[in-house]
Amino acid sequence: MQVIRSPKVYDVCIVGSGAGGGTAAKVLTEAGADVVLLEAGPMWDSAKDSAMFAWNYDTPTRGWGGDKKPFGTYDGCLGGWQIDGEPYTIGTGAWRWFRGRMLGGRTHHWGRISLRFGPSDFRRRSIDGLGDDWPITYDEIKPYYDKLDEFVGIFGTNHAKDTGLANEPDGIFQPPPSPRAHELLIKKACDRLKIPVVPSRLSILTRPLNGRPACHYCGQCGRGCATHSNFSSVSVMLAPALRTGKLTIVSGAMAREVTTGPDGLATGISYVDTATSAEHQVRARIVVLAASCCESARLLLNSKSTRFPAGLANSSGVVGKYLTDSTGLSVSGFIPALMDLPRYNSDGVGGMHLYVPWWGDNKALGFPRGYHVELGGGFGMPGYGFLGGIQNFPQSRGGGYGADLKAEYRRYYGAFVGFAGRGEQVAREDCYCEIDPNTVDQWGIPVLRFHHTWSDHERLQAKHMQETFRTIIQEMGGEPTSAMPAREQDYGLAVGGLIIHEAGATRMGSDPKRSVLNAHCQAHDVRNLFVADGGPFVSQADKNLTWTIMALAWRTADYIAEERRKGGL
Ligand SMILES: Cc1cc2nc3c(=O)[nH]c(=O)nc-3n(C[C@H](O)[C@H](O)[C@H](O)COP(=O)(O)OP(=O)(O)OC[C@H]3O[C@@H](n4cnc5c(N)ncnc54)[C@H](O)[C@@H]3O)c2cc1C
C-alpha cells in the first residue's frame, strides 16, 4: 500500500471537529500551536448550508427525512443511525449509535441543553459506593464552565439557592426567554406537586455576543443556525481558530490509526482520504483524539503494534469499557385545557424554555441516581405525521374531511405536552465496545461491536419517571396518550445509545491499572496523546453531557498549551 506522508510536522493533530475537537482547536491555536484538524466528513457552513428558513410543506415528504435523515429533511446533521459503508455490530444486549459526519460533528443540530455537572456528580462512589469518583473535582472544572458561559453564551438563571438544589451549580447567564403557555401550565401543576420547574439552560444567545447576533426565535435550531446565534463548533470555536492562521482543516480524512515511534510516543495519524481511498500520514508532536467517545476508543483499539498488542494506551485493558448513555423515556399527555387555545406568539428558541432539574432524594427513593425532565409542547412547525390519528383522539368529532378536518386540527394544535426524562446510568465494566474481528468498514477499518444492558438501578429510575410524568399530566387535568409499560418492557427505557450521550470508553482515573487517561485526559501510557470528547467521563450525571465535554476539552487544551510552554511536551 502506498502511503502519502505529510512533509510538515505539526505541533498538534486533532481528530474530529465536533464539540470537543472544535474547543481544543480554538484554545490550542490561540495559544500559538500549529494545529492540523482531521475531519472524516465534508466541510459545512451553516451560513450557507442550513435550510433554516424553509417550510416543511415545500418538500414532497412534508419534512419527513426517512432513514437517512431521522430528524427531518432539513436537519443540520450529515450522518445518522446508519451510515452506508460504516457498519457496527451488536454483541450482548442492544445499542444504537448516532454518528455525525461533517465539519462540526453533531453540534449543528444538537439540542443545546447545556447543563454543568454539579459537585456530587464528580464523587458518586464516595456518596453511594457505586461506580467510581472522578480524579478531578467540580472546583477544578468550574473555571472552564465559566469560560464557556462567557465565551459561547448561554441563557438561564441561578436557581440553586431558591430551589435548595445544591448539585445544580450557578453559572454566568444571559436572560432566559419567557415561558410559553404550556410551560406555565406544567409549572402550575408541578408547583402543587412540589416539583421544581425552572428556566432552561441552552447555549443560544438572547443577547448579542462576540459579533454573533441574538436569536431571532425562528425555532429551527436543529437545522443549523445560519446567523450563528446558537452554539455549533464551526460557528463559535473553529471560526476564531481559523482567524489565528494556525489551523489547517483536512476534511474527508477518516483516521484509521494513531502512529507511534520507537520510543512509544505518538507520531501522528494515518488516515484514509474518503474521496480517493488513498492512505495518508500526517505527523504531529501531540495527538488529540476528539472523534466522539466510541470512535476515539475504536481508533485506539485499532492502533495495535508489537509494543501495544491490545491497542494504544490500553495496558489497563479498559479502552472501550464503562460505556454509558443517559437513560431516557418519554410520556406525552393530552391536555383539554390547552384545546382551542387562542393563537398567540409562542415563538422562541428551538427548545424548551423551562425544565425540571433533579429534585429527588435517591436514598429515600431506592434507586441510586437521578434524572432531569425536558418539557415539550406548544405550537411547533407542523411536519409529516403531525397530529396523526386525530380521529381517535379523546373528544374527537371523528376527523372528517375538508373544512371539518381542518377545524379538528385547529382544536388539537398545541393541546399535547411531552415529558422526556434523561437520567444517569451507573457505569459498569460489562457495558463496552470492542473491535469486531469479523467486520470492516468500506475502507477496511475494523468496526466496533457493542455490549450494553440496563440494570435494576436504571429500571427503577425509569419506573419513577413514568409514574411522575403520568401524575403531572393528571394534575394538569389531562390524560397520558400511552399505557404504563411493564417491568418486562424496562418501563419504556430507550435502548442504550438512543439518547446520544455516549461517554466513558476511555475513562480518566488516578490508577493506571483501572483507567486510560490521567486527570488531564492524557494517556497514562503515551504522554503526548490526549482525548477530548465524552470518552474521559468516569460517570454520567442527571444532566446532558456536552457542556462538560467542552469544559474538559478546554481544560485539556490549556494543560497542553502550558506543558508546551514549559517544554514538557
Ligand atoms: C439530535 C441530538 C440532540 C442532542 N442534544 C443534546 C443536548 O441538548 N445537550 C447535550 O449536552 N448533548 C446533546 N446531544 C449530544 C451531543 O451532540 C454530543 O454529546 C456532542 O456532539 C459530542 O461531541 P464530540 O466532539 O464528542 O463528537 P461529535 O460532535 O460527534 O464530533 C465528532 C467528529 O469526529 C468526526 N470523526 C469521527 N470519527 C472520525 C475518524 N475516524 N476520523 C476523522 N474524524 C472522525 C465525526 O465526523 C465528527 O465530525 C445531542 C445529539 C443529537 C444527535
Side-chain angles (χ1 to χ4, degrees), residues 106-166:
R106 293 170 287 183
T107 67
H108 294 287
H109 78 151
W110 70 307
R112 278 99 184 169
I113 301 168
S114 303
L115 306 174
R116 293 179 180 215
F117 282 19
S120 303
D121 296 320
F122 294 90
R123 46 185 301 275
R124 285 290 170 197
R125 184 175 185 84
S126 300
I127 295 171
D128 63 18
L130 294 169
D132 277 290
D133 289 349
W134 291 53
I136 58 171
T137 62
Y138 174 74
D139 288 342
E140 285 168 89
I141 198 169
K142 177 183 181 299
Y144 297 93
Y145 284 131
D146 289 349
K147 282 177 200 278
L148 283 176
D149 287 0
E150 283 174 329
F151 175 71
V152 175
I154 176 172
F155 68 74
T157 52
N158 288 327
H159 48 246
K161 205 156 139 234
D162 291 346
T163 57
L165 300 175

Side-chain angles (χ1 to χ4, degrees), residues 15-22 38-41 71 75 77 98-107 109-115 253-256 290-293 295 298-299 374 499-502 532-534 544-547 549:
V15 182
S17 62
L38 304 180
E39 168 50 55
F71 294 97
D75 179 59
C77 189
F98 190 97
R99 289 164 288 176
R101 284 283 178 275
M102 63 197 297
L103 193 70
R106 293 170 287 183
T107 67
H109 78 151
W110 70 307
R112 278 99 184 169
I113 301 168
S114 303
L115 306 174
M254 181 72 189
R256 167 203 293 280
S292 79
C293 168
E295 288 286 5
R298 179 183 174 207
L299 258 168
E374 300 174 5
I499 306 303
I500 321 181
H501 288 168
E502 329 84 64
D533 47 34
N544 314 49
L545 79 175
T546 308
W547 211 234
I549 292 180

